[in-house]
């Protein structure tokens, strides 16, 4: 029987080869495998699992060697690898040792512009890569590397003038936890890149092999469930026959296991971390005039920023002018872009929004 099945399989393969070139079949199968590994790589990136990401990247690169030419998905994977290792200054992707991971990622990102449907998203990622290239160096105490990164961006890629001036001032003062750097954080970079991946995968589905494998797994589970029911039914029939035999022999004693009645219900049900609610702590600060209620979220980045952030000075007429000019140039709500054009002495986008509300209520804006 096995020999007959083998002969049938061999004949099926031969009939397929007669109708279609096997090289074309190989190309299609390779494309499916490549898409599956690309999808897996995007998932590892989202989960921030660096070791699993590296293993999947290695497998993807091996499959790519079977393809005659590199496609845009290969470039995206190279870009993701650099972002994933962006916090590590000792990881090198280019021959020039001075080019760090995020700097190399910025160069690749400019080549991926045609894969980004949203132009504002493309600009946001570009700015985040520049800011974080500097911020990571400052976090590691590498002030000279931060200055070198700025010069590299100025010479090799497009660096907005306002952003260059602001970052140069931050590097000169070595303000590691400057509000501007905290606003354009590494976590925000990861979230923005993930938004790009979601949009790309929606436009370029890569889940054919994933769906086929999922159906196969679901089918195998159903088959295993049917097989398990067979021994269970036979054991139940055996128990029933044993009870009947005992009754015939006059043995009316029925031995049943004791049932334990629970007086209380166990409510300590384990829940995964994703189901837990975020915790907030409520503090009350006494003041000469009244008591203020302040709610603070338990975030390490926020605590670091609070320790090092200087209290903002009073709003001056010059700062108000900067704010009005920025809104006139970029529009209301574009606080991040306005921050890059002017020096607001350590203020954040939220502070700009609050000040604009004050000016609007006072009818000081046209």
């Amino acid at each position: 029987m096995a020999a007959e099945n083998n002969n049938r399989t061999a004949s099926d393969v031969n009939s397929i080869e007669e109708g279609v070139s096997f090289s074309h079949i190989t190309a299609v199968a390779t494309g499916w495998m490549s898409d599956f590994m690309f999808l897996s790589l995007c998932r590892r990136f989202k989960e921030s699992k660096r070791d699993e990401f590296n293993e999947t990247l290695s497998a993807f690169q091996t499959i790519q060697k079977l393809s005659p030419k590199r496609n845009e998905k290969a470039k995206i994977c190279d870009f993701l690898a650099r972002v994933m290792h962006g916090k590590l200054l000792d990881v090198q992707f280019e021959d020039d040792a001075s080019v760090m991971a995020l700097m190399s990622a910025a160069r690749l990102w400019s080549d991926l512009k045609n894969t980004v449907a949203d132009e504002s998203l493309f600009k946001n990622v570009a700015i985040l890569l520049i800011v974080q290239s500097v911020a990571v160096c400052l976090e590691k105490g590498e002030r000279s590397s931060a200055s070198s990164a700025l010069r590299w961006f100025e010479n090799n890629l497009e660096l907005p003038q306002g952003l260059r001036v602001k970052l140069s001032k931050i590097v000169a003062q070595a303000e590691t936890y400057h509000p501007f750097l905290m606003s354009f954080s590494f976590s925000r970079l990861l979230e923005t890149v993930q938004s790009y991946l979601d949009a790309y995968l929606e436009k370029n589905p890569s889940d054919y092999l994933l769906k086929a494998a999922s159906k196969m797994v679901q089918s195998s589970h159903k088959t295993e469930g049917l097989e398990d029911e067979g021994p269970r039914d036979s054991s139940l029939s055996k128990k029933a026959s044993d009870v009947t035999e005992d009754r015939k022999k006059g043995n009316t004693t029925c031995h049943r296991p004791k049932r334990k009645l629970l007086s209380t219900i166990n409510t300590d049900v384990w829940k995964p971390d994703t189901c837990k609610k975020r915790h907030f702590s409520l503090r009350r600060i006494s003041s000469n005039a009244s008591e203020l209620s302040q709610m603070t979220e338990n975030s390490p980045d926020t605590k670091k920023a609070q320790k090092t952030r200087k209290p903002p000075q009073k709003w001056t007429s010059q700062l108000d002018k900067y704010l009005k000019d920025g809104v006139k140039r970029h529009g209301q709500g574009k606080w991040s872009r306005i921050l890059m054009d002017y020096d607001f002495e350590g203020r954040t986008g939220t502070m700009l929004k609050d000040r604009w509300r004050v000016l609007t209520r006072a009818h000081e804006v046209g």
Side-chain angles (χ1 to χ4, degrees):
M1 185 67 180
E4 183 180 347
N5 290 334
N6 290 335
N7 292 333
R8 187 184 304 168
T9 304
S11 62
D12 291 342
V13 172
N14 290 333
S15 63
I16 292 175
E17 289 182 356
E18 290 176 0
V20 183
S21 171
F22 189 72
S23 61
H24 291 169
I25 297 175
T26 302
V28 172
T30 302
W32 288 345
M33 290 187 291
S34 179
D35 283 350
F36 177 76
M37 298 312 299
F38 175 74
L39 199 62
S40 301
L41 203 66
C42 293
R43 181 171 183 172
R44 298 306 183 193
F45 179 86
K46 183 177 183 178
E47 296 170 347
S48 298
K49 295 181 178 180
R50 187 181 299 155
D51 293 337
E52 289 86 344
F53 179 91
N54 291 336
E55 292 175 2
T56 308
L57 179 63
S58 178
F60 177 82
Q61 291 173 340
T62 301
I63 295 174
Q64 281 292 303
K65 292 179 182 179
L66 302 176
S67 302
K69 60 180 180 179
R70 281 173 55 85
N71 53 25
E72 64 182 19
K73 290 180 181 178
K75 292 183 179 180
I76 293 174
C77 289
D78 291 341
F79 169 73
L80 295 180
R82 285 153 174 78
V83 176
M84 178 65 80
H85 297 81
K87 286 277 190 178
L88 305 178
L89 298 183
D90 56 344
V91 177
Q92 185 176 341
F93 288 93
E94 300 192 13
D95 295 334
D96 187 353
S98 64
V99 179
M100 292 168 287
L102 291 179
M103 296 162 63
S104 181
R107 194 203 300 271
L108 280 175
W109 182 246
S110 62
D111 295 335
L112 292 172
K113 186 174 183 179
N114 61 329
T115 67
V116 188
D118 188 352
E119 186 176 353
S120 63
L121 187 145
F122 177 81
K123 291 181 179 179
N124 288 338
V125 173
I127 292 173
L128 283 164
L129 288 170
I130 297 173
V131 173
Q132 277 304 304
S133 295
V134 173
V136 170
C137 294
L138 292 178
E139 287 177 13
K140 305 293 184 181
E142 298 288 343
R143 183 176 171 183
S144 59
S145 297
S147 300
S148 300
L150 272 178
R151 288 195 297 270
W152 183 88
F153 277 109
E154 191 172 3
N155 296 329
N156 293 274
L157 295 174
E158 183 179 351
L159 179 62
Q161 178 67 17
L163 182 60
R164 185 188 67 79
V165 172
K166 181 172 286 293
L167 289 177
S168 297
K169 184 177 180 180
I170 292 174
V171 172
Q173 298 176 356
E175 296 187 59
T176 305
Y177 300 106
H178 190 279
F180 181 77
L181 300 184
M182 301 300 292
S183 177
F184 292 88
S185 63
F186 189 78
S187 60
R188 181 178 173 185
L189 170 63
L190 296 179
E191 291 172 359
T192 310
V193 172
Q194 185 58 50
S195 299
Y196 158 71
L197 289 177
D198 292 340
Y200 181 85
L201 289 173
E202 185 177 355
K203 186 177 180 181
N204 304 275
S206 307
D207 55 356
Y208 177 82
L209 193 57
L210 176 66
K211 290 181 177 179
S214 300
K215 290 181 180 178
M216 180 64 69
V217 173
Q218 291 172 358
S219 177
S220 63
H221 284 336
K222 291 179 180 179
T223 304
E224 291 174 2
L226 293 175
E227 291 177 353
D228 291 341
E229 288 181 2
R232 189 187 310 163
D233 293 341
S234 62
S235 62
L236 290 174
S237 300
K238 185 177 180 182
K239 288 181 181 180
S241 62
D242 291 343
V243 171
T244 305
E245 189 67 24
D246 289 340
R247 288 179 179 177
K248 288 181 180 179
K249 293 179 179 180
N251 185 8
T252 57
T253 304
C254 184
H255 300 281
R256 295 181 180 176
K258 295 181 179 180
R259 297 177 62 187
K260 186 177 180 180
L261 299 178
L262 298 179
S263 58
T264 59
I265 299 177
N266 183 13
T267 58
D268 296 333
V269 182
W270 177 85
K271 293 182 179 180
D273 292 339
T274 54
C275 296
K276 295 180 180 178
K277 295 182 178 180
R278 305 181 74 175
H279 296 284
F280 294 86
S281 61
L282 186 65
R283 292 191 300 158
R284 291 192 176 275
I285 304 176
S286 59
S287 175
N288 293 333
S290 62
E291 290 187 352
L292 302 177
S293 176
Q294 176 182 8
M295 183 171 291
T296 59
E297 184 174 0
N298 297 327
S299 170
D301 292 341
T302 305
K303 290 178 180 178
K304 290 180 182 178
Q306 288 175 347
K307 290 180 181 178
T308 57
R309 189 181 301 169
K310 299 178 181 179
Q313 302 297 323
K314 184 178 179 181
W315 280 85
T316 62
S317 58
Q318 182 62 42
L319 292 177
D320 286 343
K321 183 178 183 301
Y322 287 159
L323 181 57
K324 295 175 184 178
D325 293 343
V327 171
K328 185 177 180 180
R329 180 178 180 182
H330 297 288
Q332 185 175 343
K334 306 295 184 180
W335 313 121
S336 297
R337 296 185 181 179
I338 297 173
L339 277 173
M340 289 187 293
D341 289 349
Y342 306 97
D343 183 9
F344 286 95
E345 301 176 359
R347 289 169 171 80
T348 64
T350 303
M351 295 177 182
L352 266 60
K353 180 181 69 174
D354 293 340
R355 183 58 181 176
W356 181 255
R357 188 182 297 125
V358 171
L359 295 177
T360 303
R361 291 176 179 175
H363 305 288
E364 296 186 15
V365 292

